[in-house]
Amino acid sequence: MRNFAATALAVVLAASSTLSPVSAFYLPGSAPHDYKKGDKVDVFVNSLSPMLNATLKSLISLDYYDERFHFCRPEGEPVKQPESLGSILFGDRILSSPFNIKMLENQTCVPLCKSSVPQLDAVFINARIRENYGLNFIIDGLPSSEQKRDTKTGETFLDAQGFSLGDATKDVHHPELNNHYDIYIQYHKRGTEHFRVVGVMVYPRSVDSIVKSETTPNCFVNAPYKLSDSQTNEFYYTYTVEFIESDIPWGLRWDSYLHVFDPKIHWFSLINSLVIVGFLTFMVAMILYRTMSKDIHRYNAVDLAEDVQEDYGWKLVHGEVFRAPDRPMLLSVMVGNGAQLICMVSVTLVFALFGFLSPSSRGSLATVLLVCWTLMSGIAGYVSARVFTTLGGETWKPNLILTATLFPIVTFTIIGMLNLFLVFAKASGAMPFGTILAILLLWFLLSLPLAVAGYFLGMKHGGFSHPVRVNSIPRQIPPIPWYLQPVPAAIIGGILPFGAAFVELYFVLSSLFGNRAYYAFGFLFLTFLVVTLTTATVSILFVYFILCAEEYRWQWRAFLVGGGSAFWMFVYGVWYWASRLSFGNFPSVVLYFGYLFLFSLLNFLLGGSIGYISTYFAIRRLYHSIRVD
Ligand SMILES: *[C@@H]1O[C@H](CO)[C@@H](O)[C@H](O)[C@H]1NC(C)=O
Ligand SMILES: *[C@@H]1O[C@H](CO)[C@@H](O)[C@H](O)[C@H]1NC(C)=O
C-alpha cells in the first residue's frame, strides 16, 4: 500500500514537471501559406464579442455585418468562410471583408468606405462600446490583437481577445468610436521571394478624419470621433498597414498568443491543491483499508471460535446490501450516460495532451468533444444494460429507450431554448439551421445505433452475480445521523473533488470568457485524475459509514455523493457571476445560467457515475471477503 502511494506520487510529480505550461506543445493546424510580394493578404472578420477587462459585461456575440453596426461591406455580398462544427458552436462567424492588403506594400490612411449611422443605431453602437465589445479580424488564420505587456513579468504577448470597438472610459455618455485601424503584419522571409505571416497586431483609434478643405480623409487629425445620437452620423472607416520583418519562424507563431499570466501562481496553486488532495485521498484510503481489514479479521476470528454470533457494523447488513434500490431504471440510465461522459472527457484530454487540439484550428476542442460523445454512446448502452441487469431489472425495452434518448433530449432541449433566446437577441452565437441539422443527424445516424448495439452487448454479458445472498425479508433500518442523509452527505462529500478541481476551473473559465486559447491540458489532465480518485474515495468512504450505521440503501447515495461536486460547481458559478462578471443585459444572464446548469448537470452525471461504479466494486470486494454460512 505504502509503496503504491510513493510510486503514484512520484509519477504525478514527474508528469507535472514535464507538463510545464510555459513550453506548451501543440501541432500546427494547417499548412503554411507562402506569399509573394504583392499577393493579396485576406482579412476576414469574425463576430464581435465582449472583451474581458476586469469584468465581462455581456456573453452575446454579434455578427460583424449586423446592419446596426454599418461596417464597410465588400463588393457584392460578404463570403462565408468554411468553419468546423466546433468553431460554429463557439460562436465564430467568419466572413470576407473589403480590406485590400498586399504583401509587403505599406499603405497609409486608406479609406474603407464612408459610413452613415442613423440616430437609433448610434445609440446601439454606443451601448456596445460601453459593454467593451471587441472586433476580431483574422489574417492568415491568426487572430488580430493588440500587443500587451505583462506588468508582472515585463514580457510582451498578443492577446487573442481582439481589439476594442471604441473607448468609453474617458466619457461614458459620449464614447469614442474606433474608426481607424493601424494594422501591423509581421512576416518571416523564406528565401528571397517567399514570405509567411507570423504575427498580426491591430491598434484601433478614433479620429475625426473629415477635414473640410480636403477631399480624402485625414487620419492624423488630433481629435476623436464620437457618434451623436441626435443626428445621422457620417464618417470614414480608414486603415493603415505596415509590414514588419520578424525572425519568428512560422512553426512558433502561436507562441506569443499562449501567454501564461503569473505562471508561478498557476504552479503554486496547482501543486498546492494536488498535494492537499493527494494527501487526503491517501489518508482516507489508508483508514478505509485498515478498518476494513481489521473488521474482516475480527469477523472471521469470531466465526472460527463459534462464539455467540455477535454481528456488528457493515457485516450486519450482508443480507441486504445487494437488495435492488428504488428506481433501478433511472439509476442505470444515469450511470450509463455518466460512463459515456467519463470516456468522452478522458479521450478528449488525451487528444489535447498529445497536442491535437491546436489553438490554430479554431473550435477543435468542441468538435472533438462532440465527436467523442457521439462515438461513446455505445458505452452508455453497455454500462446501462449491465447495471440494470445487476439491479434485477427486467423491462429492458424502456430502459434501452431511456438510455439512448433521455439525456440527449434533456441536453438538446436546454441548448435549444438558449438558442431561441440568442435568436431573439439577434446574436451570432445562435446556431444556424444547418448546424442543428448536422448535430441531429450525427446523433440519429451514429449515436443512436451505437447505443442500441452497446446495450445488446451489455445484455449478452449480463449482470454481475452477487457475492452474498439477499435475505427474503428486509431488515429494519435504524435512524441515522443527519450528516449521513443523502442530501447533506452529497453536499459535504462534494467539497473534496471540487476543491481539487477549482483552481483549474478558474483558469478554464477565465480563458473561456477572455476568448483566450486554453492550452494547459497537462494540468487539466492531472486535475481530472485527481478529481476522479477523490470522487471514488469519498463515495466509498461514505457508503462504508452508512453501512456501518446499518443503512443498506447505498446505491443512490453513492451516486449522489459522487455527483455532489456539481452543487459546489453551481455555487462557484454563481459566485463567479456575482464577483467577476457584470452583465448589463438580460439575455447574457439567461445564457450564463443556462450553460452553468447544463455543466452542473454533466458534472453530476459524471461524478455520480464514478461514485456508483467505484463503490459497487468496493462493496463487492468487501462482502466477497467475509464468510457467510
Ligand atoms: C481595461 O480597463 C482599464 C480601466 O478601466 C483601461 O485602462 C484599459 O485600457 C482597459 N484595457 C482594455 C484592453 O480595454
Ligand atoms: C513598411 O513599414 C515598416 C515600418 O515602418 C518599415 O520597417 C518597412 O521597411 C516598410 N516597408 C516598405 C516596403 O516600405
Side-chain angles (χ1 to χ4, degrees), residues 405-416 597-598 601:
T405 58
L406 182 64
F407 177 66
I409 286 177
V410 169
T411 318
F412 288 164
T413 310
I414 295 176
I415 293 181
F597 177 75
L598 191 63
L601 181 69

Side-chain angles (χ1 to χ4, degrees), residues 415-435:
I415 293 181
M417 281 184 345
L418 293 178
N419 205 39
L420 263 182
F421 227 86
L422 285 177
V423 172
F424 283 129
K426 287 202 188 170
S428 67
M431 269 183 258
F433 181 70
T435 312

Side-chain angles (χ1 to χ4, degrees), residues 480-493 542 545-546 549 557 561:
I480 57 167
W482 65 271
Y483 54 84
L484 292 181
Q485 302 290 352
V487 173
I491 292 176
I492 297 170
F542 170 74
F545 286 145
I546 62 159
R557 289 157 204 250
V561 171

Side-chain angles (χ1 to χ4, degrees), residues 37 103-107 184 187 241-245:
K37 191 171 185 302
M103 192 52 153
L104 290 192
E105 286 179 14
N106 289 353
Q107 304 174 53
Y184 298 93
Y187 65 91
V241 61
E242 282 182 16
F243 284 87
I244 302 170
E245 181 153 14

